[in-house]
C-alpha cells in the first residue's frame, strides 16, 4: 500500500464521490476545493457537491430507464452521492429530486467526518507532479483558467466547449393555486411522492402563441466574440432556442399537456402546461422544469409572468447560462481514465465528456476505484459494457470516430446515459405467453431485459472490487 495520499482536485459530484470511494478502501485522500478562495460564475455556495442547475437526478426507474439503472448500479457500489440523494429526496413523480442544500450539506458532513479524508480549501493552479502520487482532476466544466491552461499544455490540443443553461426557481407562496394545481404526469407515484408532486400551470392556444412570440422577441444575453461559435448541449437547450426551432416545439417538449387534467377545469384540455418541481425539503421553492433560459433578467421575469398562475411570481433565482468545457477523451484517456501523456493523472466528471449529475457521479465513482486499486496493487478492469457504468466509460474512452484521412470534425460529444450506449441483446425478448411482441410493448420489454442484464453484471463486477 502506498503511503502517499491520492489527491482529488474538485469538490463537485465526481470529486466528492471519487474521494469517498478511495477513503472507503482504507486509503488516505486529499480533496482540494478552490471555493471560497476562488469563486465561479455558476456556484452560489462553497458547499461540496453543490447542484448548480437542476435539483433532479432524473428517473429512478431501474427497470425501464437507463438513468434509473445507473442509480441502481451506484447504490450497489456504495455511492455517497446516491446515499445523500436518497436521504434528501423531495417529491418529483418518477424522478429522484433532492433538497439541494440538504444534499450538499450531507455530502460535506460525510467527507469531513471520514478519518481518511483531508479537505483543503485552495486553488490548484498546476497539475501535481508524479512525485506527489496519483491525482484525479474532477474540476468539472468550470475549471479555473490557470489549471485549464495546464491541462491544455498537458493534452496538446484544444478543449471542446458547449453551453449549459439554468432554469429559474420560484417562491411557492407567490404561485396562484387558483389557476395552478398539483399533479404528476399520469398521476405517477415516484420516490417519496404522492402522484401530486408537480405544480401545473395551464395555457390555452392564445396564451401559448403569445408566450412563444414573447420568447422569440425577448432580449437575450449576448455572447462574447470568443463564445459565438460555441454550441449548446442538446439536453439543456434554452426555451427560447427551442421556440425558435418551431412554434410547436415546446408544446411537444417541456410544455406538453399529456397526462395532466386541470383540477379547476377538468372538462377543458390545456393546450400547453408549464410544470414546476419542488426544489427544497420545505417545499418553499419550486423550479421550472425544462425552462433553462438565456433571456436577460428583466425580460425573463416579465415573460415568465405571462404564464397563468405565475402573474405575481417571485424568483429566488432567475435563469442563466454558463460555459462548459470537456476533453477529447477518446484520444487523451485510457480505459482507466488516465491521461496517456501523464499516467499518474486521471480525469473524472463532466470534463471527461459525460453529461449529467448521475453520469458525473458514476465516472467519479469508477475513477476513485481505479485509483484506489492501483495504489493497493490490485488493478481492476472497467465494468462490462453491458452495464450503465461500463457503457459510460466505454463512450468516454472509445466513443470517437476518426475520418480515415484524418480530416473533418471529431465526433466525440457529451452524452447522457441511454440504452443506445449499451450493446444489443443476443436475443430479442419474447412474450411469456409466446405472443409476438410489437411496438411499445416490444421496446418496453427490451429495455427491461437490458436493465436486468446490466444490473446483474454490475453486481457481479462490484462484488470483486
Amino acid at each position: 500500500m502506498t503511503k502517499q495520499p491520492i489527491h482529488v482536485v474538485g469538490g463537485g459530484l465526481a470529486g466528492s464521490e471519487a474521494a469517498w470511494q478511495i477513503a472507503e478502501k482504507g486509503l488516505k485522500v486529499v480533496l482540494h476545493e478552490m471555493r471560497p478562495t476562488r469563486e465561479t460564475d455558476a456556484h452560489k455556495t462553497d458547499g461540496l457537491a453543490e447542484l448548480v442547475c437542476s435539483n433532479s437526478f432524473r428517473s429512478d426507474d431501474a427497470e425501464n430507464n437507463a438513468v434509473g439503472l445507473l442509480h441502481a448500479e451506484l447504490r450497489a457500489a456504495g455511492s455517497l452521492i446516491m446515499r445523500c440523494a436518497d436521504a434528501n429526496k423531495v417529491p418529483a413523480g418518477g424522478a429522484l429530486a433532492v433538497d439541494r442544500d440538504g444534499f450538499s450539506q450531507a455530502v460535506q458532513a460525510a467527507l469531513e467526518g471520514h478519518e481518511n479524508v483531508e479537505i483543503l480549501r485552495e486553488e490548484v493552479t498546476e497539475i501535481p507532479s508524479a512525485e506527489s502520487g496519483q491525482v484525479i482532476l474532477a474540476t468539472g466544466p468550470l475549471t479555473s483558467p490557470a489549471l485549464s491552461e495546464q491541462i491544455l499544455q498537458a493534452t496538446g490540443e484544444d478543449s471542446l466547449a458547449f453551453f449549459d443553461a439554468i432554469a429559474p426557481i420560484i417562491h411557492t407562496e407567490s404561485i396562484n393555486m387558483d389557476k395552478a394545481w398539483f399533479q404528476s404526469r399520469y398521476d405517477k407515484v415516484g420516490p417519496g411522492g404522492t402522484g401530486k408532486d408537480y405544480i401545473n400551470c395551464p395555457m390555452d392556444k392564445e396564451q401559448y402563441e403569445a408566450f412563444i412570440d414573447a420568447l422569440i422577441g425577448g432580449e437575450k444575453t449576448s455572447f462574447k466574440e470568443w463564445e459565438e461559435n460555441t454550441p449548446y448541449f442538446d439536453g439543456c437547450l434554452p426555451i427560447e432556442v427551442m421556440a425558435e426551432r418551431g412554434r410547436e416545439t415546446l408544446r411537444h417538449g417541456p410544455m406538453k399537456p399529456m397526462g395532466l387534467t386541470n383540477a379547476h377545469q377538468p372538462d377543458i384540455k390545456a393546450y400547453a402546461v408549464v410544470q414546476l418541481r419542488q426544489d427544497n425539503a420545505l417545499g418553499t421553492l419550486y423550479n421550472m422544469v425544462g425552462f433553462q433560459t438565456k433571456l436577460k433578467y428583466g425580460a425573463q421575469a416579465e415573460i415568465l409572468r405571462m404564464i397563468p398562475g405565475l402573474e405575481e411570481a417571485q424568483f429566488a433565482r432567475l435563469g442563466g447560462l454558463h460555459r462548459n468545457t470537456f476533453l477529447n477523451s477518446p484520444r487523451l484517456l485510457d480505459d482507466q481514465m488516465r491521461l496517456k501523456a501523464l499516467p499518474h493523472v486521471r480525469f473524472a466528471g463532466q470534463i471527461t465528456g459525460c453529461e449529467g449529475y448521475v453520469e458525473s457521479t458514476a465516472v467519479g465513482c469508477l475513477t476513485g476505484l481505479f485509483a484506489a486499486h492501483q495504489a493497493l496493487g490490485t488493478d481492476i478492469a472497467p465494468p462490462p459494457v453491458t452495464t450503465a457504468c461500463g457503457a459510460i466509460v466505454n463512450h468516454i474512452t472509445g466513443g470517437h470516430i476518426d475520418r480515415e484521412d484524418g480530416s473533418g470534425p471529431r465526433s466525440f460529444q457529451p452524452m447522457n446515459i441511454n440504452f443506445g450506449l449499451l450493446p444489443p441483446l443476443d436475443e430479442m425478448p419474447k412474450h411469456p405467453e409466446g405472443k409476438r411482441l410489437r411496438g411499445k410493448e416490444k421496446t418496453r420489454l427490451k429495455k427491461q431485459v437490458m436493465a436486468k442484464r446490466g444490473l446483474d453484471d454490475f453486481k457481479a463486477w462490484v462484488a470483486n472490487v
Side-chain angles (χ1 to χ4, degrees):
M1 183 184 298
T2 180
K3 294 181 180 179
Q4 290 178 305
I6 297 173
H7 292 266
V8 178
V9 183
L13 294 172
S16 296
E17 183 65 36
W20 178 260
Q21 294 292 337
I22 294 165
E24 285 289 277
K25 291 295 182 184
L27 297 165
K28 296 296 183 181
V29 58
V30 179
L31 179 59
H32 303 260
E33 170 53 51
M34 69 179 184
R35 293 173 293 128
T37 302
R38 183 186 180 97
E39 302 291 350
T40 76
D41 293 333
H43 289 89
K44 302 299 182 186
T45 75
D46 61 6
L48 299 179
E50 178 187 342
L51 302 182
V52 171
C53 299
S54 168
N55 71 322
S56 175
F57 284 64
R58 313 197 317 277
S59 174
D60 202 43
D61 183 352
E63 292 185 352
N64 299 285
N65 191 286
V67 76
L69 170 61
L70 193 55
H71 288 182
E73 291 180 7
L74 285 169
R75 290 183 179 112
S79 166
L80 172 65
I81 295 301
M82 289 305 301
R83 188 184 82 185
C84 294
D86 288 334
N88 289 277
K89 62 189 175 188
V90 296
L96 173 61
V98 304
D99 178 314
R100 66 182 75 220
D101 291 332
F103 167 77
S104 174
Q105 290 163 8
V107 172
Q108 182 160 315
L111 289 167
E112 288 177 339
H114 201 296
E115 62 180 2
N116 291 330
V117 178
E118 178 184 2
I119 300 172
L120 293 183
R121 296 285 185 165
E122 61 181 14
E123 181 184 0
V124 175
T125 58
E126 296 183 351
I127 298 175
S129 66
E131 287 70 29
S132 302
Q134 291 193 73
V135 178
I136 296 174
L137 297 180
T139 48
L142 300 171
T143 302
S144 67
L147 189 55
S148 292
E149 182 60 30
Q150 283 272 307
I151 293 169
L152 180 60
Q153 292 177 15
T155 59
E157 38 181 300
D158 293 334
S159 292
L160 303 177
F162 64 97
F163 281 114
D164 263 350
I166 300 171
I169 297 176
I170 295 174
H171 290 282
T172 313
E173 63 183 9
S174 68
I175 300 171
N176 183 357
M177 296 307 296
D178 289 334
K179 295 183 178 180
W181 75 97
F182 284 97
Q183 185 188 7
S184 301
R185 202 177 298 279
Y186 299 107
D187 301 307
K188 187 170 184 177
V189 177
T194 64
K196 297 183 177 181
D197 303 333
Y198 292 77
I199 293 177
N200 301 278
C201 301
M203 283 186 179
D204 59 28
K205 185 174 182 179
E206 184 179 351
Q207 291 167 330
Y208 177 80
E209 294 291 348
F211 183 67
I212 296 300
D213 288 338
L215 286 179
I216 294 173
E219 191 175 7
K220 283 87 173 175
T221 302
S222 58
F223 293 135
K224 298 179 177 66
E225 183 179 350
W226 56 269
E227 296 177 321
E228 289 179 352
N229 294 320
T230 303
Y232 293 107
F233 173 59
D234 276 345
C236 208
L237 285 176
I239 51 171
E240 61 276 5
V241 173
M242 286 189 275
E244 289 167 356
R245 292 184 175 185
R247 298 187 68 84
E248 292 290 289
T249 302
L250 284 170
R251 203 171 76 85
H252 293 280
M255 294 178 66
K256 60 180 179 287
M258 284 77 79
L260 298 167
T261 302
N262 189 336
H264 306 296
Q265 296 178 306
D267 297 331
I268 300 177
K269 184 69 176 178
Y271 190 74
V273 174
V274 174
Q275 287 199 304
L276 295 91
R277 178 177 55 230
Q278 187 173 331
D279 199 80
N280 64 347
L282 294 174
T284 55
L285 299 173
Y286 271 70
N287 64 66
M288 303 184 70
V289 178
F291 263 59
Q292 304 84 211
T293 180
K294 62 167 184 161
L295 287 166
K296 286 192 172 181
Y297 284 172
Q300 188 177 146
E302 181 179 346
I303 292 170
L304 295 180
R305 288 184 180 126
M306 293 173 64
I307 299 170
L310 302 185
E311 294 90 348
E312 303 296 329
Q314 297 299 312
F315 297 93
R317 183 190 72 187
L318 285 162
L321 195 69
H322 64 91
R323 188 174 187 263
N324 283 348
T325 57
F326 64 99
L327 300 171
N328 187 18
S329 295
R331 286 185 179 171
L332 301 174
L333 306 181
D334 67 14
D335 67 359
Q336 296 276 314
M337 307 304 294
R338 288 178 294 222
L339 185 61
K340 295 173 185 177
L342 296 172
H344 73 287
V345 176
R346 284 179 166 87
F347 282 87
Q350 281 190 329
I351 197 170
T352 66
C354 65
E355 175 62 22
Y357 292 153
V358 192
E359 291 86 343
S360 294
T361 299
V363 176
C365 174
L366 295 177
T367 305
L369 288 172
F370 294 154
H373 278 271
Q374 180 176 325
L376 294 168
T378 57
D379 289 1
I380 56 172
V385 294
T386 53
T387 69
C389 283
I392 291 172
V393 170
N394 184 59
H395 170 72
I396 290 170
T397 61
H400 178 74
I401 301 172
D402 279 311
R403 298 277 184 91
E404 289 185 6
D405 61 359
S407 66
R410 46 197 176 185
S411 65
F412 181 61
Q413 291 292 326
M415 182 74 73
N416 290 121
I417 184 63
N418 61 83
F419 282 115
L421 295 182
L422 278 64
L425 298 170
D426 293 332
E427 293 184 11
M428 292 301 296
K430 298 179 180 178
H431 192 281
E433 298 177 4
K435 294 188 297 184
R436 185 176 179 181
L437 294 171
R438 300 175 185 272
K440 292 182 179 179
E441 186 179 16
K442 180 178 179 180
T443 301
R444 182 169 57 252
L445 184 56
K446 179 182 176 182
K447 288 180 178 179
Q448 290 173 352
V449 174
M450 293 179 77
K452 184 179 185 306
R453 178 189 66 176
L455 187 54
D456 288 346
D457 288 353
F458 187 82
K459 286 181 176 178
W461 178 83
V462 81
N464 295 314
V465 300

